Amino acid sequence: MPTPTRGFLGRRRDRDPRLPPGQYDVGADWPVLTAEAAPRITPETWSITVDGRVESPTTWSWAEAHRLPPSEYRGDIHCVTTWSKFDTHFAGVSVDTLLAAARPTAEAGFVMATSKTGYTTNLPLADVTGGKAWIVWEFDGRPLPVEHGGPVRLLVPHLYFWKSAKWITRLTLLARDQPGFWEQNGYHDRGDPWRQQRYQGD
Amino acid sequence: MTEPESVVLGAGVAGAPSGGWRTATVAGVRRPVPRSVQLRLDVADRVDHLPGQHYVVRLTAPDGYTAQRSYSVASAPGDPLVELFVERLPDGEVSTHLADVVEPGDVLEVRGPIGGWFVWDGVSPALLVAGGSGVVPFVSMLRTARALGRTDLLRIAVSVRTLEELPYAGELVDAGALVVTTRESRGIRPAGRLAAEDLVPLWEPGQTAFVCGSASFADAAGRLLLGLGVAPRDIRIEQFGPTG
């Protein structure tokens, strides 16, 4: 345990067990953190493609994506900048549904998510399958605001939120892992909040 | 079959330095601006940063409870000390301790430098657009440019409520920064927000635009730059603070 900081007692004495280490409850706020200017994307021009190591590369339009079986997430989200937000509610479709249509090949082990802006983030395939990841277009029953990645973002709530790429347009299945945007810029490859995998080397 | 090339957004500065946890001794504490503190840290075995990178400060309570936050570095890499500028948030946990309690001689745990995206390479022209304490990473860039003799590469625009609240105001004004105040008039200019016409004379093709400030400021500044025709790939944004 590190040496205590002189005079520091810490404010939050009763830690909510839902808070991973080093996080604080941001309450009703939802901070906006983005590395690039927010793109204006109309639902009519948005689409999502699943390609790479798949048997059937597939693209869904807004209308086509909305005809897929709906799926939702209720729970917490965690940002590497140390805020966590409890009891969020997102709706969209499960990434499992998209992958079932595109059929990853046997060698597919990783996913690169790409946004309209060119933002990328890499994930092990196991972190986006089995009911752990969604593409979402609703937050709290309303259309997802553009500053939070609307019209559609990736949602991988069990990892730090930079993995939940805003303005998602593509999921590319890869045989070998390669770093995405923040991962090239000093952040951890996986980003598990419970293990505090914030930066390279954690 | 080859793996598709999917990275479009820039990779930042290749091989940007990064450092692990270090022990820092507080060498200086100044409060030149209300509700904030400027800390000068002697970081043991430190890794030199690039201008625009940040540090994490971690505080530990006697029972092992820890809290950590990130702060931009204001000093240039050649400075023997690491200078952090911390705005005291009214409900802050780390910033209030740093602003109210920390004294010279205190020992802090720090981690850095961190980040390879919001970094100036020292050779490319850049337009720096800051809201309030968002100027801190730009002060590091300016000091670096001065050390390199290349202040001609940087154009700086700052928006702040009053000049008194602007960190490093004198240094920025001396460097020719455009300072726009939203709550007081300056010279013949009435109080008002940063506008597109403010940025027009500062913008030149080939510049990278760096924007740093609150989320609402960063969003507004990003839109101004896009409206001027700056390509999205040439805009780098660093935001801080919660929004509703």
Side-chain angles (χ1 to χ4, degrees):
Chain A
M1 189 177 102
T3 310
T5 312
R6 185 190 64 80
F8 179 70
L9 297 174
R11 177 171 300 163
R12 297 166 179 88
R13 307 319 299 157
D14 297 314
R15 299 268 301 168
D16 190 307
R18 295 175 293 174
L19 268 186
Q23 299 292 112
Y24 70 95
D25 175 8
V26 76
D29 285 338
W30 187 3
V32 176
L33 295 163
T34 303
E36 72 277 66
R40 309 294 148 172
I41 306 166
T42 59
E44 294 72 35
T45 61
W46 174 87
S47 65
I48 188 157
T49 297
V50 178
D51 64 2
R53 300 291 178 122
V54 296
E55 290 175 20
S56 304
T58 308
T59 298
W60 291 265
S61 68
W62 175 262
E64 289 163 344
H66 280 68
R67 284 196 290 269
L68 295 169
S71 183
E72 61 174 28
Y73 170 73
R74 288 178 189 272
D76 310 331
I77 58 177
H78 313 285
C79 177
V80 71
T81 62
T82 72
W83 58 261
S84 290
K85 185 171 175 60
F86 296 141
D87 302 322
T88 64
H89 177 210
F90 290 90
V93 298
S94 170
V95 169
D96 291 316
T97 303
L98 304 182
L99 294 178
R103 299 199 303 281
T105 61
E107 64 267 35
F110 300 89
V111 177
M112 185 70 83
T114 305
S115 292
K116 181 79 173 177
T117 62
Y119 175 88
T120 55
T121 189
N122 55 311
L123 299 129
L125 183 57
D127 272 318
V128 297
T129 51
K132 292 195 289 291
W134 292 259
I135 61 163
V136 294
W137 44 71
E138 266 186 35
F139 174 73
D140 272 353
R142 294 190 172 168
L144 185 67
V146 64
E147 67 269 25
H148 291 303
V152 182
R153 78 179 298 160
L154 183 63
L155 178 71
V156 191
H158 70 289
L159 299 178
Y160 284 127
F161 224 45
W162 88 80
K163 294 289 183 181
S164 294
K166 295 178 177 182
W167 312 302
I168 184 86
T169 58
R170 189 175 295 270
L171 292 170
T172 303
L173 281 289
L174 304 175
R176 285 175 292 108
D177 195 16
Q178 50 176 278
F181 171 71
W182 284 123
E183 295 82 5
Q184 291 174 54
N185 285 302
Y187 285 78
H188 196 274
D189 258 322
R190 179 147 185 270
D192 181 342
W194 294 96
R195 297 180 181 177
Q196 290 214 71
Q197 293 171 337
R198 298 175 190 275
Y199 307 110
Q200 283 169 21
D202 280 346
Chain B
M1 187 168 137
T2 55
E3 303 285 350
E5 284 281 67
S6 50
V7 176
V8 182
L9 197 64
V13 172
S18 70
W21 289 105
R22 298 280 193 277
T23 298
T25 304
V26 178
V29 178
R30 289 186 62 222
R31 295 180 181 79
V33 174
R35 295 179 299 282
S36 57
V37 65
Q38 183 183 306
L39 298 175
R40 301 265 300 162
L41 304 177
D42 187 359
V43 179
D45 191 25
R46 90 173 155 108
V47 174
D48 282 350
H49 65 277
L50 293 175
Q53 288 192 291
H54 64 271
Y55 265 71
V56 174
V57 177
R58 179 164 70 189
L59 307 179
T60 303
D63 63 357
Y65 169 83
T66 63
Q68 63 180 47
R69 296 289 184 276
S70 299
Y71 299 103
S72 292
V73 179
S75 48
D79 190 323
L81 299 177
V82 171
E83 185 172 310
L84 305 182
F85 185 92
V86 178
E87 189 169 16
R88 186 188 188 285
L89 303 177
D91 59 345
E93 185 175 26
V94 177
S95 69
T96 52
H97 179 85
L98 297 177
D100 302 347
V101 180
V102 163
E103 297 171 354
D106 280 351
V107 173
L108 298 173
E109 270 189 296
V110 300
R111 179 178 195 172
I114 293 169
W117 169 243
F118 202 80
V119 168
W120 182 52
D121 61 10
V123 296
S124 308
L127 171 60
L128 315 179
V129 184
S133 61
V135 296
V136 176
F138 300 151
V139 170
S140 180
M141 295 180 191
L142 174 61
R143 290 174 173 181
T144 303
R146 215 184 284 135
L148 297 170
R150 293 310 309 270
T151 51
D152 60 301
L153 292 173
L154 302 181
R155 301 279 181 278
I156 308 176
V158 183
S159 173
V160 68
R161 288 190 298 188
T162 66
L163 195 60
E164 189 201 19
E165 292 178 56
L166 179 61
Y168 306 98
E171 201 170 332
L172 291 161
V173 170
D174 286 350
L178 170 74
V179 178
V180 173
T181 44
T182 60
R183 300 284 173 86
E184 66 185 8
S185 57
R186 290 196 72 223
I188 58 166
R189 187 192 173 104
R193 291 176 181 278
L194 190 70
E197 55 262 35
D198 294 316
L199 297 180
V200 166
L202 303 179
W203 167 249
E204 291 171 22
Q207 286 175 329
T208 301
F210 291 85
V211 174
C212 186
S214 66
S216 60
F217 175 83
D219 186 53
R223 286 189 211 202
L224 282 183
L225 290 165
L226 292 172
L228 292 181
V230 182
R233 67 176 174 276
D234 293 331
I235 302 175
R236 299 183 180 207
I237 295 181
E238 183 126 299
Q239 298 161 54
F240 53 79
T243 61

